[in-house]
Amino acid sequence: MVLTGDSSMFKPFGQVELYPDPEALGPPQASDDEKDRGSGILAWLNYEVFRQDMLDRKLERHHITGIAFSGAVGIGIFQTSGEIIALGGPVGALLAFIFAGLVIFSVMRCLAEMVSVRPVTAPLIDFPHTFVDEALGFTVGIMYW
């Protein structure tokens, strides 16, 4: 439906279409540059980022190691969670995760207390050496060297 204005304010311009007929306009025409690029965010990424060398394509060893580690840990968490849920049910899995979280929380609180009471330079090596055994301190030191 085409609405035309016929009031006194449109008289100098004659018949003015307030809302053009969409069938009369046809599909929107793209410029030559837009035809080459396409449209949308992927086209912008393709044109702006990749063609203008804004993206630095350098994966170093620690990047690849991080990706591999996070993939392995993520798969392990999902697989283990599925096995725990299949074995103990949802309530058993929830109780197991709560118990494991409390154990980890307690260990972290104990480590925080030991660090505040005995501030040393290398607590990761010194605490097993002092509180457990000298050989364990040596082994931890070698493993984290």
Side-chain angles (χ1 to χ4, degrees):
M1 177 176 160
V2 177
L3 299 176
T4 57
D6 197 22
S7 67
S8 62
M9 60 188 250
F10 292 120
K11 285 199 179 186
F13 302 108
Q15 288 271 331
V16 177
E17 292 185 9
L18 297 178
Y19 301 104
D21 188 13
E23 286 100 21
L25 292 176
Q29 300 296 323
S31 67
D32 291 336
D33 190 35
E34 289 176 347
K35 286 179 185 175
D36 291 341
R37 290 192 299 177
S39 62
I41 187 70
L42 293 177
W44 178 82
L45 281 174
N46 189 21
Y47 184 75
E48 297 290 333
V49 176
F50 295 128
R51 289 193 184 158
Q52 294 182 6
D53 293 329
M54 293 171 56
L55 184 64
D56 194 14
R57 297 182 184 208
K58 291 182 187 174
L59 276 179
E60 296 177 8
R61 173 179 269 179
H62 65 274
H63 296 131
I64 296 171
T65 304
I67 292 169
F69 180 75
S70 63
V73 167
I75 289 172
I77 287 173
F78 284 127
Q79 173 120 11
T80 305
S81 298
E83 290 174 0
I84 290 172
I85 292 172
L87 185 65
V91 176
L94 183 64
L95 290 175
F97 283 130
I98 289 173
F99 177 73
L102 287 174
V103 168
I104 292 170
F105 178 75
S106 301
V107 167
M108 295 306 292
R109 289 287 301 228
C110 291
L111 286 174
E113 180 109 5
M114 290 191 328
V115 167
S116 63
V117 169
R118 186 183 164 103
V120 293
T121 307
L124 189 66
I125 299 167
D126 185 56
F127 289 162
H129 179 270
T130 304
F131 297 113
V132 181
D133 189 22
E134 293 179 3
L136 182 62
F138 177 77
T139 306
V140 169
I142 292 295
M143 294 300 288
Y144 285 99
W145 180 34

